[in-house]
PDB file of all heavy atoms in Angstrom:
ATOM      1  N   GLY A  13      10.030  18.816  18.994  1.00 98.00           N
ATOM      2  CA  GLY A  13       9.149  19.902  19.418  1.00 98.00           C
ATOM      3  C   GLY A  13       7.725  19.617  18.982  1.00 98.00           C
ATOM      4  O   GLY A  13       6.998  20.509  18.531  1.00 98.00           O
ATOM      5  N   ALA A  14       7.322  18.353  19.139  1.00 98.00           N
ATOM      6  CA  ALA A  14       6.019  17.933  18.614  1.00 98.00           C
ATOM      7  C   ALA A  14       4.904  18.039  19.648  1.00 98.00           C
ATOM      8  O   ALA A  14       3.758  17.711  19.350  1.00 98.00           O
ATOM      9  CB  ALA A  14       6.113  16.497  18.105  1.00 98.00           C
ATOM     10  N   SER A  15       5.203  18.493  20.852  1.00 98.00           N
ATOM     11  CA  SER A  15       4.166  18.470  21.898  1.00 98.00           C
ATOM     12  C   SER A  15       3.148  19.594  21.733  1.00 98.00           C
ATOM     13  O   SER A  15       2.045  19.520  22.272  1.00 98.00           O
ATOM     14  CB  SER A  15       4.805  18.546  23.285  1.00 98.00           C
ATOM     15  OG  SER A  15       5.509  19.756  23.447  1.00 98.00           O
ATOM     16  N   THR A  16       3.504  20.638  20.980  1.00 98.00           N
ATOM     17  CA  THR A  16       2.579  21.768  20.800  1.00 98.00           C
ATOM     18  C   THR A  16       3.035  22.582  19.576  1.00 98.00           C
ATOM     19  O   THR A  16       4.053  22.276  18.957  1.00 98.00           O
ATOM     20  CB  THR A  16       2.556  22.659  22.074  1.00 98.00           C
ATOM     21  OG1 THR A  16       1.584  23.706  21.892  1.00 98.00           O
ATOM     22  CG2 THR A  16       3.903  23.292  22.367  1.00 98.00           C
ATOM     23  N   GLY A  17       2.278  23.600  19.241  1.00 98.00           N
ATOM     24  CA  GLY A  17       2.688  24.568  18.219  1.00 98.00           C
ATOM     25  C   GLY A  17       2.901  23.952  16.839  1.00 98.00           C
ATOM     26  O   GLY A  17       2.179  23.047  16.407  1.00 98.00           O
ATOM     27  N   ILE A  18       3.903  24.453  16.152  1.00 99.00           N
ATOM     28  CA  ILE A  18       4.169  24.060  14.763  1.00 99.00           C
ATOM     29  C   ILE A  18       4.433  22.556  14.662  1.00 99.00           C
ATOM     30  O   ILE A  18       3.924  21.871  13.767  1.00 99.00           O
ATOM     31  CB  ILE A  18       5.366  24.891  14.226  1.00 99.00           C
ATOM     32  CG1 ILE A  18       4.953  26.374  14.100  1.00 99.00           C
ATOM     33  CG2 ILE A  18       5.868  24.342  12.899  1.00 99.00           C
ATOM     34  CD1 ILE A  18       6.106  27.345  13.838  1.00 99.00           C
ATOM     35  N   ALA A  37       9.771  15.629  22.488  1.00 98.00           N
ATOM     36  CA  ALA A  37       9.718  16.893  23.254  1.00 98.00           C
ATOM     37  C   ALA A  37       9.918  16.512  24.724  1.00 98.00           C
ATOM     38  O   ALA A  37      10.252  15.351  25.028  1.00 98.00           O
ATOM     39  CB  ALA A  37       8.392  17.623  23.038  1.00 98.00           C
ATOM     40  N   ARG A  38       9.703  17.488  25.638  1.00 98.00           N
ATOM     41  CA  ARG A  38       9.923  17.179  27.065  1.00 98.00           C
ATOM     42  C   ARG A  38       8.641  16.827  27.799  1.00 98.00           C
ATOM     43  O   ARG A  38       8.667  16.103  28.775  1.00 98.00           O
ATOM     44  CB  ARG A  38      10.562  18.405  27.755  1.00 98.00           C
ATOM     45  CG  ARG A  38      11.949  18.733  27.258  1.00 98.00           C
ATOM     46  CD  ARG A  38      12.364  20.111  27.735  1.00 98.00           C
ATOM     47  NE  ARG A  38      11.392  21.117  27.298  1.00 98.00           N
ATOM     48  CZ  ARG A  38      11.460  22.404  27.584  1.00 98.00           C
ATOM     49  NH1 ARG A  38      12.456  22.863  28.317  1.00 98.00           N
ATOM     50  NH2 ARG A  38      10.525  23.243  27.144  1.00 98.00           N
ATOM     51  N   ASP A  39       7.509  17.357  27.352  1.00 98.00           N
ATOM     52  CA  ASP A  39       6.269  17.248  28.120  1.00 98.00           C
ATOM     53  C   ASP A  39       5.563  15.911  27.830  1.00 98.00           C
ATOM     54  O   ASP A  39       4.844  15.768  26.833  1.00 98.00           O
ATOM     55  CB  ASP A  39       5.360  18.430  27.741  1.00 98.00           C
ATOM     56  CG  ASP A  39       4.123  18.522  28.604  1.00 98.00           C
ATOM     57  OD1 ASP A  39       3.569  17.476  28.991  1.00 98.00           O
ATOM     58  OD2 ASP A  39       3.696  19.654  28.887  1.00 98.00           O
ATOM     59  N   ALA A  63      12.478  13.849  25.523  1.00 98.00           N
ATOM     60  CA  ALA A  63      13.890  14.233  25.459  1.00 98.00           C
ATOM     61  C   ALA A  63      14.027  15.741  25.587  1.00 98.00           C
ATOM     62  O   ALA A  63      13.283  16.499  24.957  1.00 98.00           O
ATOM     63  CB  ALA A  63      14.495  13.776  24.129  1.00 98.00           C
ATOM     64  N   ASP A  64      14.969  16.136  26.418  1.00 98.00           N
ATOM     65  CA  ASP A  64      15.365  17.546  26.473  1.00 98.00           C
ATOM     66  C   ASP A  64      16.561  17.683  25.537  1.00 98.00           C
ATOM     67  O   ASP A  64      17.654  17.186  25.833  1.00 98.00           O
ATOM     68  CB  ASP A  64      15.745  17.929  27.910  1.00 98.00           C
ATOM     69  CG  ASP A  64      16.198  19.380  28.007  1.00 98.00           C
ATOM     70  OD1 ASP A  64      16.487  19.996  26.952  1.00 98.00           O
ATOM     71  OD2 ASP A  64      16.277  19.897  29.132  1.00 98.00           O
ATOM     72  N   LEU A  65      16.357  18.343  24.419  1.00 98.00           N
ATOM     73  CA  LEU A  65      17.396  18.376  23.381  1.00 98.00           C
ATOM     74  C   LEU A  65      18.575  19.278  23.747  1.00 98.00           C
ATOM     75  O   LEU A  65      19.545  19.359  22.995  1.00 98.00           O
ATOM     76  CB  LEU A  65      16.780  18.780  22.034  1.00 98.00           C
ATOM     77  CG  LEU A  65      15.746  17.784  21.492  1.00 98.00           C
ATOM     78  CD1 LEU A  65      15.084  18.332  20.235  1.00 98.00           C
ATOM     79  CD2 LEU A  65      16.387  16.422  21.209  1.00 98.00           C
ATOM     80  N   ASN A  90      12.312  20.868  14.303  1.00 98.00           N
ATOM     81  CA  ASN A  90      11.418  21.983  14.613  1.00 98.00           C
ATOM     82  C   ASN A  90      11.609  22.566  16.011  1.00 98.00           C
ATOM     83  O   ASN A  90      11.392  23.763  16.219  1.00 98.00           O
ATOM     84  CB  ASN A  90       9.965  21.494  14.437  1.00 98.00           C
ATOM     85  CG  ASN A  90       8.962  22.393  15.115  1.00 98.00           C
ATOM     86  OD1 ASN A  90       8.647  23.480  14.619  1.00 98.00           O
ATOM     87  ND2 ASN A  90       8.467  21.991  16.278  1.00 98.00           N
ATOM     88  N   GLY A  92      12.421  24.510  19.115  1.00 98.00           N
ATOM     89  CA  GLY A  92      13.169  25.761  19.193  1.00 98.00           C
ATOM     90  C   GLY A  92      12.573  26.658  20.247  1.00 98.00           C
ATOM     91  O   GLY A  92      11.467  26.416  20.750  1.00 98.00           O
ATOM     92  N   LEU A 113      19.618  24.599  21.806  1.00 98.00           N
ATOM     93  CA  LEU A 113      18.387  24.018  21.243  1.00 98.00           C
ATOM     94  C   LEU A 113      18.223  24.348  19.760  1.00 98.00           C
ATOM     95  O   LEU A 113      17.835  23.491  18.963  1.00 98.00           O
ATOM     96  CB  LEU A 113      17.169  24.527  22.031  1.00 98.00           C
ATOM     97  CG  LEU A 113      15.815  23.963  21.601  1.00 98.00           C
ATOM     98  CD1 LEU A 113      15.758  22.446  21.810  1.00 98.00           C
ATOM     99  CD2 LEU A 113      14.674  24.644  22.354  1.00 98.00           C
ATOM    100  N   ILE A 141      13.066  23.994  10.386  1.00 98.00           N
ATOM    101  CA  ILE A 141      12.249  25.182  10.642  1.00 98.00           C
ATOM    102  C   ILE A 141      13.171  26.322  11.080  1.00 98.00           C
ATOM    103  O   ILE A 141      13.705  26.325  12.198  1.00 98.00           O
ATOM    104  CB  ILE A 141      11.171  24.920  11.721  1.00 98.00           C
ATOM    105  CG1 ILE A 141      10.362  23.641  11.391  1.00 98.00           C
ATOM    106  CG2 ILE A 141      10.252  26.133  11.838  1.00 98.00           C
ATOM    107  CD1 ILE A 141       9.592  23.661  10.080  1.00 98.00           C
ATOM    108  N   ALA A 142      13.349  27.268  10.171  1.00 98.00           N
ATOM    109  CA  ALA A 142      14.157  28.461  10.483  1.00 98.00           C
ATOM    110  C   ALA A 142      13.184  29.576  10.873  1.00 98.00           C
ATOM    111  O   ALA A 142      12.295  29.375  11.707  1.00 98.00           O
ATOM    112  CB  ALA A 142      15.020  28.834   9.284  1.00 98.00           C
ATOM    113  N   SER A 143      13.320  30.747  10.284  1.00 98.00           N
ATOM    114  CA  SER A 143      12.416  31.876  10.570  1.00 98.00           C
ATOM    115  C   SER A 143      12.721  32.964   9.552  1.00 98.00           C
ATOM    116  O   SER A 143      13.855  33.069   9.062  1.00 98.00           O
ATOM    117  CB  SER A 143      12.689  32.416  11.978  1.00 98.00           C
ATOM    118  OG  SER A 143      12.133  33.718  12.118  1.00 98.00           O
ATOM    119  N   TYR A 156      18.666  35.346  18.623  1.00 96.00           N
ATOM    120  CA  TYR A 156      17.628  34.462  18.072  1.00 96.00           C
ATOM    121  C   TYR A 156      17.712  34.446  16.548  1.00 96.00           C
ATOM    122  O   TYR A 156      17.759  33.386  15.925  1.00 96.00           O
ATOM    123  CB  TYR A 156      16.225  34.894  18.520  1.00 96.00           C
ATOM    124  CG  TYR A 156      15.133  34.040  17.891  1.00 96.00           C
ATOM    125  CD1 TYR A 156      14.899  32.747  18.355  1.00 96.00           C
ATOM    126  CD2 TYR A 156      14.374  34.507  16.819  1.00 96.00           C
ATOM    127  CE1 TYR A 156      13.917  31.948  17.760  1.00 96.00           C
ATOM    128  CE2 TYR A 156      13.394  33.715  16.231  1.00 96.00           C
ATOM    129  CZ  TYR A 156      13.169  32.433  16.703  1.00 96.00           C
ATOM    130  OH  TYR A 156      12.204  31.643  16.109  1.00 96.00           O
ATOM    131  N   LYS A 160      18.603  31.339  13.651  1.00 98.00           N
ATOM    132  CA  LYS A 160      17.767  30.984  12.500  1.00 98.00           C
ATOM    133  C   LYS A 160      18.509  31.200  11.179  1.00 98.00           C
ATOM    134  O   LYS A 160      18.286  30.472  10.208  1.00 98.00           O
ATOM    135  CB  LYS A 160      16.458  31.778  12.557  1.00 98.00           C
ATOM    136  CG  LYS A 160      15.602  31.384  13.763  1.00 98.00           C
ATOM    137  CD  LYS A 160      15.270  29.910  13.713  1.00 98.00           C
ATOM    138  CE  LYS A 160      14.611  29.343  14.926  1.00 98.00           C
ATOM    139  NZ  LYS A 160      14.266  27.916  14.788  1.00 98.00           N
ATOM    140  N   PRO A 186       9.025  30.663   8.744  1.00 98.00           N
ATOM    141  CA  PRO A 186       7.750  31.253   9.177  1.00 98.00           C
ATOM    142  C   PRO A 186       7.957  32.695   9.628  1.00 98.00           C
ATOM    143  O   PRO A 186       9.011  33.046  10.160  1.00 98.00           O
ATOM    144  CB  PRO A 186       7.331  30.396  10.382  1.00 98.00           C
ATOM    145  CG  PRO A 186       8.260  29.220  10.410  1.00 98.00           C
ATOM    146  CD  PRO A 186       9.500  29.658   9.693  1.00 98.00           C
ATOM    147  N   GLY A 187       6.913  33.508   9.410  1.00 98.00           N
ATOM    148  CA  GLY A 187       6.858  34.799  10.084  1.00 98.00           C
ATOM    149  C   GLY A 187       6.207  34.567  11.442  1.00 98.00           C
ATOM    150  O   GLY A 187       6.084  33.415  11.891  1.00 98.00           O
ATOM    151  N   ALA A 188       5.769  35.648  12.086  1.00 97.00           N
ATOM    152  CA  ALA A 188       5.134  35.491  13.402  1.00 97.00           C
ATOM    153  C   ALA A 188       3.938  34.553  13.282  1.00 97.00           C
ATOM    154  O   ALA A 188       3.052  34.755  12.443  1.00 97.00           O
ATOM    155  CB  ALA A 188       4.699  36.842  13.937  1.00 97.00           C
ATOM    156  N   THR A 189       3.929  33.529  14.104  1.00 98.00           N
ATOM    157  CA  THR A 189       2.896  32.492  14.053  1.00 98.00           C
ATOM    158  C   THR A 189       2.350  32.329  15.467  1.00 98.00           C
ATOM    159  O   THR A 189       3.123  32.329  16.427  1.00 98.00           O
ATOM    160  CB  THR A 189       3.526  31.160  13.565  1.00 98.00           C
ATOM    161  OG1 THR A 189       4.222  31.406  12.335  1.00 98.00           O
ATOM    162  CG2 THR A 189       2.475  30.097  13.334  1.00 98.00           C
ATOM    163  N   THR A 191       1.694  30.770  18.432  1.00 98.00           N
ATOM    164  CA  THR A 191       1.993  29.567  19.225  1.00 98.00           C
ATOM    165  C   THR A 191       2.453  30.044  20.607  1.00 98.00           C
ATOM    166  O   THR A 191       2.566  31.244  20.863  1.00 98.00           O
ATOM    167  CB  THR A 191       3.151  28.746  18.605  1.00 98.00           C
ATOM    168  OG1 THR A 191       4.365  29.505  18.740  1.00 98.00           O
ATOM    169  CG2 THR A 191       2.917  28.382  17.156  1.00 98.00           C
ATOM    170  N   GLU A 192       2.810  29.061  21.430  1.00 98.00           N
ATOM    171  CA  GLU A 192       3.250  29.398  22.793  1.00 98.00           C
ATOM    172  C   GLU A 192       4.634  30.011  22.846  1.00 98.00           C
ATOM    173  O   GLU A 192       5.079  30.448  23.895  1.00 98.00           O
ATOM    174  CB  GLU A 192       3.270  28.121  23.644  1.00 98.00           C
ATOM    175  CG  GLU A 192       1.908  27.573  23.939  1.00 98.00           C
ATOM    176  CD  GLU A 192       1.994  26.213  24.638  1.00 98.00           C
ATOM    177  OE1 GLU A 192       3.072  25.834  25.127  1.00 98.00           O
ATOM    178  OE2 GLU A 192       0.962  25.536  24.688  1.00 98.00           O
ATOM    179  N   ILE A 193       5.360  29.978  21.721  1.00 97.00           N
ATOM    180  CA  ILE A 193       6.758  30.436  21.771  1.00 97.00           C
ATOM    181  C   ILE A 193       6.845  31.868  22.298  1.00 97.00           C
ATOM    182  O   ILE A 193       7.792  32.227  22.996  1.00 97.00           O
ATOM    183  CB  ILE A 193       7.443  30.302  20.383  1.00 97.00           C
ATOM    184  CG1 ILE A 193       8.966  30.322  20.547  1.00 97.00           C
ATOM    185  CG2 ILE A 193       6.984  31.377  19.418  1.00 97.00           C
ATOM    186  CD1 ILE A 193       9.730  29.942  19.289  1.00 97.00           C
ATOM    187  N   TRP A 194       5.819  32.661  21.976  1.00 96.00           N
ATOM    188  CA  TRP A 194       5.848  34.070  22.372  1.00 96.00           C
ATOM    189  C   TRP A 194       5.684  34.207  23.875  1.00 96.00           C
ATOM    190  O   TRP A 194       6.458  34.899  24.533  1.00 96.00           O
ATOM    191  CB  TRP A 194       4.757  34.843  21.626  1.00 96.00           C
ATOM    192  CG  TRP A 194       4.978  34.805  20.145  1.00 96.00           C
ATOM    193  CD1 TRP A 194       4.395  33.966  19.230  1.00 96.00           C
ATOM    194  CD2 TRP A 194       5.909  35.609  19.410  1.00 96.00           C
ATOM    195  NE1 TRP A 194       4.897  34.203  17.969  1.00 96.00           N
ATOM    196  CE2 TRP A 194       5.820  35.208  18.051  1.00 96.00           C
ATOM    197  CE3 TRP A 194       6.801  36.624  19.754  1.00 96.00           C
ATOM    198  CZ2 TRP A 194       6.593  35.789  17.053  1.00 96.00           C
ATOM    199  CZ3 TRP A 194       7.564  37.214  18.757  1.00 96.00           C
ATOM    200  CH2 TRP A 194       7.459  36.793  17.437  1.00 96.00           C
ATOM    201  N   ARG A 196       6.212  31.975  26.098  1.00 96.00           N
ATOM    202  CA  ARG A 196       7.369  31.367  26.773  1.00 96.00           C
ATOM    203  C   ARG A 196       8.528  32.363  26.857  1.00 96.00           C
ATOM    204  O   ARG A 196       9.358  32.286  27.753  1.00 96.00           O
ATOM    205  CB  ARG A 196       7.840  30.113  26.023  1.00 96.00           C
ATOM    206  CG  ARG A 196       6.894  28.916  26.118  1.00 96.00           C
ATOM    207  CD  ARG A 196       7.505  27.742  25.352  1.00 96.00           C
ATOM    208  NE  ARG A 196       6.556  26.682  25.067  1.00 96.00           N
ATOM    209  CZ  ARG A 196       6.766  25.388  25.330  1.00 96.00           C
ATOM    210  NH1 ARG A 196       7.885  24.986  25.873  1.00 96.00           N
ATOM    211  NH2 ARG A 196       5.863  24.485  25.027  1.00 96.00           N
TER     212      ARG A 196
HETATM  213  N1  NAP B   1       5.852  30.849  16.381  1.00 75.00           N
HETATM  214  C1  NAP B   1       6.556  31.692  15.627  1.00 75.00           C
HETATM  215  O1  NAP B   1       6.221  32.884  15.488  1.00 75.00           O
HETATM  216  C2  NAP B   1       7.775  31.195  14.907  1.00 75.00           C
HETATM  217  C3  NAP B   1       8.265  31.979  13.849  1.00 75.00           C
HETATM  218  C4  NAP B   1       9.398  31.551  13.175  1.00 75.00           C
HETATM  219  C5  NAP B   1       9.997  30.370  13.523  1.00 75.00           C
HETATM  220  N2  NAP B   1       9.511  29.623  14.559  1.00 75.00           N
HETATM  221  C6  NAP B   1      10.229  28.397  14.909  1.00 75.00           C
HETATM  222  O2  NAP B   1       9.323  27.310  14.845  1.00 75.00           O
HETATM  223  C7  NAP B   1       9.763  26.274  15.718  1.00 75.00           C
HETATM  224  C8  NAP B   1       8.594  25.815  16.569  1.00 75.00           C
HETATM  225  O3  NAP B   1       8.178  26.891  17.360  1.00 75.00           O
HETATM  226  P1  NAP B   1       6.713  27.079  17.910  1.00 75.00           P
HETATM  227  O4  NAP B   1       6.296  28.450  17.572  1.00 75.00           O
HETATM  228  O5  NAP B   1       5.860  25.938  17.542  1.00 75.00           O
HETATM  229  O6  NAP B   1       7.055  27.054  19.472  1.00 75.00           O
HETATM  230  P2  NAP B   1       6.298  26.428  20.723  1.00 75.00           P
HETATM  231  O7  NAP B   1       4.826  26.459  20.528  1.00 75.00           O
HETATM  232  O8  NAP B   1       6.896  27.081  21.926  1.00 75.00           O
HETATM  233  O9  NAP B   1       6.765  24.903  20.661  1.00 75.00           O
HETATM  234  C9  NAP B   1       8.113  24.577  20.839  1.00 75.00           C
HETATM  235  C10 NAP B   1       8.253  23.064  20.863  1.00 75.00           C
HETATM  236  O10 NAP B   1       9.613  22.758  21.145  1.00 75.00           O
HETATM  237  C11 NAP B   1       9.666  21.917  22.304  1.00 75.00           C
HETATM  238  N3  NAP B   1      10.846  22.226  23.091  1.00 75.00           N
HETATM  239  C12 NAP B   1      11.163  23.396  23.704  1.00 75.00           C
HETATM  240  N4  NAP B   1      12.314  23.267  24.389  1.00 75.00           N
HETATM  241  C13 NAP B   1      12.728  21.979  24.196  1.00 75.00           C
HETATM  242  C14 NAP B   1      13.836  21.225  24.647  1.00 75.00           C
HETATM  243  N5  NAP B   1      14.776  21.764  25.456  1.00 75.00           N
HETATM  244  N6  NAP B   1      13.960  19.950  24.253  1.00 75.00           N
HETATM  245  C15 NAP B   1      13.016  19.379  23.459  1.00 75.00           C
HETATM  246  N7  NAP B   1      11.948  20.033  22.995  1.00 75.00           N
HETATM  247  C16 NAP B   1      11.810  21.319  23.372  1.00 75.00           C
HETATM  248  C17 NAP B   1       8.391  22.241  23.067  1.00 75.00           C
HETATM  249  O11 NAP B   1       7.948  21.139  23.849  1.00 75.00           O
HETATM  250  P3  NAP B   1       8.260  20.851  25.401  1.00 75.00           P
HETATM  251  O12 NAP B   1       8.083  22.116  26.152  1.00 75.00           O
HETATM  252  O13 NAP B   1       7.268  19.769  25.710  1.00 75.00           O
HETATM  253  O14 NAP B   1       9.669  20.326  25.425  1.00 75.00           O
HETATM  254  C18 NAP B   1       7.411  22.433  21.936  1.00 75.00           C
HETATM  255  O15 NAP B   1       6.934  21.178  21.481  1.00 75.00           O
HETATM  256  C19 NAP B   1      10.931  26.853  16.518  1.00 75.00           C
HETATM  257  O16 NAP B   1      12.143  26.398  15.961  1.00 75.00           O
HETATM  258  C20 NAP B   1      10.777  28.344  16.320  1.00 75.00           C
HETATM  259  O17 NAP B   1      12.005  29.019  16.446  1.00 75.00           O
HETATM  260  C21 NAP B   1       8.406  30.005  15.247  1.00 75.00           C
END
Side-chain angles (χ1 to χ4, degrees):
S15 62
T16 183
I18 292 169
R38 295 167 303 178
D39 187 324
D64 179 345
L65 296 174
N90 163 76
L113 182 63
I141 309 299
S143 163
Y156 177 75
K160 294 301 171 178
T189 307
T191 68
E192 291 173 15
I193 199 169
W194 298 98
R196 290 181 196 230

